[in-house]
Amino acid sequence: MKKLLGGTLAAAAAMTLVACGTDNNSEVNELGAETAEASNGSEDRSDWPEEFIFGLLPVEDQAELTNRYEPMIEYLEDYLDVDVTLYNATNYTALIEAMANGHLHASTFGPFSYLVAAERANGEPFAIPVSEEGGTEDDIYYTAQMITLDEHGIDSLEDIEGRSLAYADPASTSGHLFPKAMLINEIGLTMDNVDQFPSDVVFSGSHEASLYSVLNGDVEAAGVCSTCIERVFDRVNDHENFDQLNIFHESEPIPGGPYVIQGDLPQSFKDAVQQAFLDMSEDEKGREFLEESGYLGGYFQVDPAVYQVVQDTAEALNLSPEELLE
């Protein structure tokens, strides 16, 4: 299992690569316009919206978020030849309701919130970002990991019995829901007794906080997101207990959160939006946004079928996607 940790560290190092390119911006914009027209299948754009409204969660300072997305807005406006407006919301539920009511055309979503968007707002996944430069469709996945220190002698999920366990946040896919589902599916627990299996269950508030809780000896095990802790390894690898850190169990691959578009929009417009994201790495402004956002591999097309594992996990927890969001 130490090899798993080594592989994770290698992946973290790979994520520091910076995308590059010298394509002429005007030529790419012309290509984008041609591609959008080809996707349209004709010159008639009369049924297209006058502006493209794209939703975001305020996961950081709103001004900083707007600045980071400005190159993407400029790129999309050139590519689609329509105005682009950002729609800031306080949570995924607000984004879903806005999409269902026609106030929002597309947005970023998490794996579970996408299921709700598909159900309530006829949302369709059209693209997904990849962090690693030169990445493939396989890189859209991450995992939920169970971590501990060697000194605790925890080698399997069964060994969690009677031990202290940290989750990140109640709504976290890989920091709570998937780890809990692993306990239910793989060792036969139920929703009635899964929280009593450890001696103590705490919510740390974040994946990084869970990692520190294990390193500092505050808990004996924790469920964390593989990519989330990769990002902080450079800050914790000098911790006195870092060499003891062990990944003792890992979930099946989890697809990352997709970009979702409202399904009732004209097909030609949906095709053009999807192609704009798939072509983003070929444009100067597009690359600027991708680099600042850490999406060094650009975007890939995503099949709704890959989210069946998320649906199965919701069913294992005996909770609807709406309840999971709450």
Side-chain angles (χ1 to χ4, degrees):
M1 300 311 292
K2 284 288 189 180
K3 292 181 180 178
L4 276 175
L5 182 57
T8 302
L9 284 165
M15 288 180 66
T16 63
L17 295 173
V18 178
C20 61
T22 57
D23 300 60
N24 182 274
N25 193 45
S26 61
E27 292 177 357
V28 172
N29 288 337
E30 290 173 7
L31 174 63
E34 292 171 2
T35 304
E37 183 176 324
S39 297
N40 188 22
S42 72
E43 296 183 0
D44 181 15
R45 296 158 50 109
S46 60
D47 57 351
W48 282 31
E50 293 183 1
E51 65 174 342
F52 177 42
I53 306 175
F54 188 83
L56 293 174
L57 276 179
V59 293
E60 56 190 87
D61 179 77
Q62 185 167 322
E64 292 293 329
L65 196 65
T66 300
N67 288 337
R68 180 155 63 83
Y69 272 82
E70 187 60 35
M72 186 195 81
I73 293 174
E74 293 181 25
Y75 163 73
L76 289 176
E77 287 182 335
D78 286 340
Y79 195 107
L80 299 171
D81 195 25
V82 297
D83 291 335
V84 177
T85 301
L86 292 182
Y87 182 100
N88 291 295
T90 56
N91 54 48
Y92 283 129
T93 299
L95 289 173
I96 293 165
E97 292 305 315
M99 181 176 286
N101 293 325
H103 302 309
L104 177 67
H105 297 130
S107 181
T108 59
F109 283 104
F112 280 104
S113 56
Y114 153 65
L115 297 180
V116 186
E119 180 180 309
R120 288 188 184 173
N122 192 25
E124 300 175 354
F126 68 89
I128 189 168
V130 171
S131 298
E132 296 201 28
E133 184 181 12
T136 68
E137 287 87 345
D138 292 337
D139 295 315
I140 70 171
Y141 296 95
Y142 65 110
T143 62
Q145 298 175 335
M146 301 294 275
I147 61 174
T148 188
L149 297 181
D150 287 336
E151 66 185 39
H152 299 309
I154 298 176
D155 298 315
S156 67
L157 293 177
E158 288 83 356
D159 293 336
I160 293 176
E161 184 174 11
R163 308 297 189 95
S164 54
L165 175 65
Y167 294 125
D169 180 90
S172 172
T173 298
S174 54
H176 176 221
L177 302 175
F178 265 79
K180 180 171 285 187
M182 286 193 291
L183 291 171
I184 291 172
N185 290 333
E186 299 185 37
I187 62 176
L189 300 178
T190 69
M191 282 297 291
D192 292 332
N193 62 22
V194 65
D195 287 335
Q196 285 71 50
F197 187 68
S199 61
D200 187 33
V201 172
V202 299
F203 288 99
S204 68
S206 71
H207 296 273
E208 183 172 355
S210 290
L211 174 60
Y212 273 110
S213 294
V214 170
L215 288 172
N216 293 334
D218 298 326
V219 296
E220 294 167 282
V224 294
C225 155
S226 59
T227 55
C228 297
I229 63 171
E230 285 167 12
R231 299 189 189 107
V232 301
F233 272 162
D234 60 340
R235 299 205 295 272
V236 301
N237 60 13
D238 59 349
H239 193 285
E240 60 180 357
N241 289 328
F242 184 78
D243 290 341
Q244 280 203 66
L245 191 63
N246 184 25
I247 300 167
F248 67 91
H249 199 81
E250 195 164 23
S251 74
E252 58 187 309
I254 307 168
Y259 284 37
V260 177
I261 194 164
Q262 211 286 321
D264 296 332
L265 289 165
Q267 188 62 48
S268 61
F269 180 72
K270 293 189 293 182
D271 290 343
V273 169
Q274 180 182 59
Q275 197 61 49
F277 278 83
L278 299 183
D279 290 346
M280 193 176 294
S281 60
E282 300 174 17
D283 176 83
E284 181 181 342
K285 283 292 184 181
R287 286 194 300 271
E288 180 182 342
F289 167 73
L290 293 173
E291 292 172 16
E292 290 180 359
S293 299
Y295 303 150
L296 303 185
Y299 289 90
F300 284 87
Q301 189 170 345
V302 60
D303 188 329
V306 304
Y307 291 95
Q308 185 59 47
V309 64
V310 182
Q311 181 66 57
D312 293 343
T313 300
E315 292 173 1
L317 296 171
N318 197 30
L319 294 171
S320 69
E322 290 91 340
E323 290 171 320
L324 292 171
L325 285 179
E326 295 170 359

